[in-house]
Amino acid sequence: MAHFHIKKKKGRPYLYVREIARVNGKPKVISQTYIGSPDRVASLVKGQSQEITTLKAEEFGALWLAQQADKDFDLCSMIDEIIPPADREKGPSIGEYFLYCVWNRMIETVSKNKLSDWYKRTAIQHIRPVDLNELSCKRYWDKWDRVDEKTLNTIISKFFRRLWQVEKPSSDCLLFDTTNYYTFMGSQTLSKIACRGKNKEGRHNLRQIGLGLLVARDTRLPLFYSIYPGNIHDSKHFESIMEEMFRVACDLNNTKERLTIVIDKGMNSEGNYTWIDEHSRVHFITTYSTYFAQELAATPLDRFEIADTARNRRLIDEERREECQLAYRTKKEYWGKERSVIITYNPRTARKKSYTFESKLDTIRQELLAMRTKVKEGAAHWKKAEDVQARYIRLCQRLHMAPDLFTLNFETSANGLNMSFRKDPYIVKQKKLMFGKNIIITDNTDWATKDIIEASLDRWQVEDRFRLSKNEDLVGVQPIRHWTDSKIKCHLFTCVAAMAYLRRIELKLKSAGIERTAENVMDDMKHLHSILTLPKGARKPTRRLETPSKTQAEVLSAFGHHINEGGVLQPVT
């Protein structure tokens, strides 16, 4: 309840509005707003000011939405059951430290150093009161120091089991992929998981941490994740976690007789598929590099037919048959067994690659003409055939083109070195036949071609989760600001939990007929404020919510609430 409070400084009275709530069972001032001098207070009380005076406005909508996403989980209690408060421990519990971090990563990510200041702009004290001075980076360090690896794994396992109970994913097809996140951790800082490797953001000079993510195909909800050193190859990491991952997936999805995991070519290795072949419930769909199957990828298009996919049916209805994806199915031995192999052809991709390819061929030709002129003129450094050949290879590497597309010939005469070149038409033709082609391999020989293609294409769903994790405003995994492995693992758990909550919000809205992304919804709801006002002639301030916009009202309604004319949030009856 808000009330006026008078402070005297050097004998002069000053008026504040105070709000008190119970924090850890004890009454505490959660908000204090300066009003002004006695003269201004008198004018406010007498109604000489405007109809309604806004004393304070705080972000409410997005934080309330984050609280709704946590209702089915109660993450704080879940963690506190595993790590109960220590003797004489004061302030927020470890579960609350995790919860307040997850909520922040759902709305507007900031570092732990700025977390307290960020929460001061929000209506957190009217949603879940907390002593904001306790939400400091030092206190996070002290609290998370009590979370060892075994305990964190217990928290993660319990969280995902609860997620499966709440959502009950019905799909028997799961998607797995990996990514990495860079950190500014110094080279001298000890870490087993922050290592230099091929960074997907191009930050190869920085140490990075790898993350593998398993996602349910029907809901895009994360079901399992693993952290690994940034210098480990994807296939090696996949091999190391297969047993654990599939055990977890099979335990969670105990009603399914078989599970299919969709992966990309980075996970391919004979050992991995030998393990899958020996597992009775697990099957796979993967892609295969056309570089290692050029003869297969060069299959003539007259053997292809239009795939019966949802996208193709839509294109046919729009009379755009020429844009349809084509497919050719066969069988071939891979990794010691005969597999179903599908080659797909995308006309649009083929046209783009052909245009780029022809442009690069022309660039190489122009450069070769210039090289030939320099050789003919006997220019310095152009008198040895091996030097010219090396320059040509470097040119091809720079353009990411194979050097066998052109053949260079050199002859030595009385006038010096002569050079000629010719394009190899057969190799050029074979390269063009591969454009727009993609190879899919699976042991699901009983699946229809369209089902295999659509499952492979759905890998975008896990890639979409990675894009969200690298969003600067939501989730915001990188840059990782922690510098010990245990704290990094706690940080990554809060990010994955935030991803899960945000996706659940999208699913809840979708079930209400509202197709919106989490980014769009959170940005919209951030502008729904809780305001402290002093109506004209009133003798005490009151708190109310702003009148929601149409889109904000739709979101509130989807979660079973509305804001009445008095600015009070109420359940829909």
Side-chain angles (χ1 to χ4, degrees):
M1 182 69 69
H3 65 278
F4 287 118
H5 176 75
I6 298 176
K7 284 186 178 181
K8 284 193 175 182
K9 296 181 180 180
K10 295 182 180 180
R12 298 186 62 185
Y14 295 92
L15 188 68
Y16 293 79
V17 171
R18 275 187 173 182
E19 295 178 280
I20 296 176
R22 287 190 174 273
V23 179
N24 296 323
K26 297 181 179 180
K28 186 175 179 65
V29 176
I30 59 171
S31 174
Q32 181 172 273
T33 306
Y34 175 65
I35 301 300
S37 63
D39 292 339
R40 182 168 185 265
V41 174
S43 67
L44 289 173
V45 173
K46 293 177 181 178
Q48 296 173 0
S49 182
Q50 54 188 339
E51 289 292 324
I52 297 179
T53 300
T54 299
L55 305 178
K56 190 176 185 181
E58 298 166 326
E59 295 177 13
F60 176 86
L63 195 58
W64 176 84
L65 200 56
Q67 181 202 38
Q68 297 301 301
D70 180 63
K71 273 193 170 181
D72 291 329
F73 291 81
D74 195 0
L75 181 64
C76 176
S77 298
M78 183 190 302
I79 294 174
D80 288 343
E81 286 178 7
I82 299 170
I83 315 175
D87 293 339
R88 299 182 180 179
E89 185 176 16
K90 297 180 180 180
S93 65
I94 293 178
E96 287 181 296
Y97 276 94
F98 273 99
L99 180 65
Y100 290 125
C101 185
V102 170
W103 283 357
N104 169 253
R105 311 211 83 75
M106 293 175 66
I107 302 167
E108 185 181 344
T109 58
V110 297
S111 67
K112 305 295 185 297
N113 195 37
K114 298 179 180 178
L115 192 64
S116 177
D117 291 337
W118 178 79
Y119 268 117
K120 287 176 182 177
R121 305 201 317 261
T122 71
I124 182 64
Q125 306 294 18
H126 306 282
I127 294 175
R128 189 185 180 102
V130 61
D131 183 355
L132 294 179
N133 294 324
E134 293 286 333
L135 298 184
S136 64
C137 58
K138 183 180 183 306
R139 294 294 289 153
Y140 261 96
W141 183 274
D142 294 338
K143 293 286 185 175
W144 280 5
D145 216 27
R146 292 184 56 201
V147 186
D148 57 34
E149 186 169 0
K150 182 179 178 181
T151 303
L152 182 60
N153 288 338
T154 303
I155 293 171
I156 294 168
S157 176
K158 196 169 183 179
F159 176 82
F160 282 123
R161 189 169 295 279
R162 180 59 181 155
L163 177 62
W164 195 281
Q165 291 171 351
V166 169
E167 287 295 338
K168 297 180 176 62
S170 59
S171 176
D172 59 357
C173 189
L174 307 176
L175 314 167
F176 180 83
D177 205 351
T178 61
T179 191
N180 47 50
Y181 304 100
Y182 63 81
T183 172
F184 293 113
M185 185 185 295
S187 300
Q188 72 282 1
T189 305
L190 296 177
S191 174
K192 293 182 179 180
I193 60 175
C195 306
R196 285 182 175 83
K198 188 176 180 181
N199 184 261
K200 296 186 179 181
E201 303 291 305
R203 306 296 293 269
H204 308 307
N205 61 311
L206 299 176
R207 298 171 74 175
Q208 64 182 21
I209 295 157
L211 180 79
L213 186 66
L214 185 70
V215 171
R217 182 186 176 194
D218 57 342
T219 61
R220 270 182 269 163
L221 284 167
L223 302 176
F224 173 89
Y225 75 93
S226 56
I227 302 167
Y228 62 98
N231 60 351
I232 299 295
H233 191 271
D234 292 350
S235 63
K236 294 293 184 183
H237 174 64
F238 185 63
E239 179 182 5
S240 69
I241 64 161
M242 278 196 301
E243 186 171 351
E244 179 189 3
M245 181 171 67
F246 288 126
R247 175 179 54 77
V248 170
C250 291
D251 287 347
L252 292 173
N253 200 5
N254 53 24
T255 61
K256 299 293 181 184
E257 292 299 322
R258 58 191 285 179
L259 288 174
T260 296
I261 184 163
V262 181
I263 52 182
D264 73 356
K265 54 183 174 285
M267 261 61 80
N268 292 345
S269 76
E270 187 164 351
N272 291 347
Y273 294 115
T274 299
W275 189 95
I276 291 176
D277 288 337
E278 293 173 353
H279 200 294
S280 59
R281 288 186 61 186
V282 180
H283 300 267
F284 72 89
I285 297 174
T286 186
T287 56
Y288 196 77
S289 174
T290 56
Y291 179 83
F292 297 109
Q294 296 189 23
E295 184 178 346
L296 189 62
T299 303
L301 289 179
D302 56 10
R303 299 187 186 182
F304 287 67
E305 59 184 20
I306 295 177
D308 185 26
T309 60
R311 178 179 178 274
N312 279 354
R313 289 194 293 271
R314 186 176 69 253
L315 290 172
I316 291 172
D317 290 341
E318 296 172 357
E319 298 183 353
R320 296 164 58 195
R321 184 179 289 267
E322 70 281 357
E323 298 292 328
C324 288
Q325 186 181 47
L326 307 181
Y328 168 70
R329 183 166 182 168
T330 185
K331 290 185 178 180
K332 199 171 179 65
E333 185 173 310
Y334 283 98
W335 308 298
K337 281 193 175 183
E338 188 177 71
R339 318 286 188 180
S340 289
V341 179
I342 298 173
I343 310 161
T344 62
Y345 172 76
N346 188 315
R348 187 176 182 182
T349 303
R351 287 196 301 270
K352 287 182 178 179
K353 287 197 171 185
S354 181
Y355 176 82
T356 303
F357 183 71
E358 290 292 347
S359 176
K360 288 183 177 181
L361 280 179
D362 187 61
T363 299
I364 292 175
R365 181 178 176 276
Q366 295 299 326
E367 290 286 341
L368 286 173
L369 288 171
M371 288 181 183
R372 188 177 67 178
T373 301
K374 290 182 179 180
V375 170
K376 185 177 180 180
E377 293 174 348
H381 310 297
W382 291 86
K383 298 178 181 180
K384 293 182 179 180
E386 56 269 23
D387 291 345
V388 179
Q389 185 74 32
R391 285 189 176 92
Y392 167 68
I393 292 174
R394 288 197 296 271
L395 169 66
C396 293
Q397 290 174 342
R398 190 173 72 248
L399 296 173
H400 302 287
M401 297 284 278
D404 59 354
L405 295 168
F406 286 85
T407 302
L408 276 61
N409 297 308
F410 299 93
E411 293 180 358
T412 304
S413 65
N415 296 326
L417 185 68
N418 291 313
M419 168 189 162
S420 63
F421 64 90
R422 65 182 293 273
K423 184 167 63 176
D424 190 319
Y426 175 77
I427 294 178
V428 170
K429 180 183 177 182
Q430 290 301 106
K431 291 287 184 184
K432 288 184 175 181
L433 284 174
M434 296 168 60
F435 291 163
K437 302 280 185 63
N438 188 41
I439 298 175
I440 305 171
I441 302 175
T442 180
D443 63 346
N444 280 333
T445 56
D446 57 331
W447 278 31
T449 299
K450 72 178 185 67
D451 294 331
I452 296 171
I453 294 173
E454 289 185 334
S456 181
L457 291 174
D458 280 345
R459 280 186 296 110
W460 71 267
Q461 295 181 13
V462 65
E463 291 166 359
D464 178 69
R465 297 300 88 190
F466 288 145
R467 279 192 292 273
L468 178 62
S469 73
K470 296 179 181 182
N471 186 305
E472 292 182 358
D473 295 321
L474 300 186
V475 184
V477 175
Q478 64 184 15
I480 296 174
R481 297 182 174 93
H482 301 274
W483 61 91
T484 65
D485 289 355
S486 63
K487 307 301 185 300
I488 290 171
K489 291 176 180 179
C490 288
H491 164 71
L492 287 172
F493 169 68
T494 62
C495 293
V496 174
M499 275 196 287
Y501 283 178
L502 288 168
R503 181 56 187 159
R504 290 201 69 235
I505 289 173
E506 290 178 339
L507 293 172
K508 182 79 171 180
L509 295 176
K510 185 177 180 180
S511 65
I514 303 171
E515 292 278 358
R516 295 177 66 186
T517 64
E519 298 98 313
N520 179 270
V521 172
M522 283 303 187
D523 182 65
D524 186 21
M525 294 299 287
K526 275 168 60 177
H527 296 88
L528 178 61
H529 294 88
S530 172
I531 53 177
L532 189 64
T533 65
L534 184 64
K536 183 177 180 179
R539 294 190 174 274
K540 66 166 60 175
T542 59
R543 182 171 284 277
R544 57 161 294 160
L545 297 178
E546 291 177 323
T547 302
S549 66
K550 181 182 177 181
T551 53
Q552 290 169 346
E554 289 176 346
V555 173
L556 292 171
S557 178
F559 282 83
H561 287 75
H562 76 285
I563 297 175
N564 65 17
E565 294 181 356
V568 178
L569 183 67
Q570 293 182 331
V572 175
T573 54

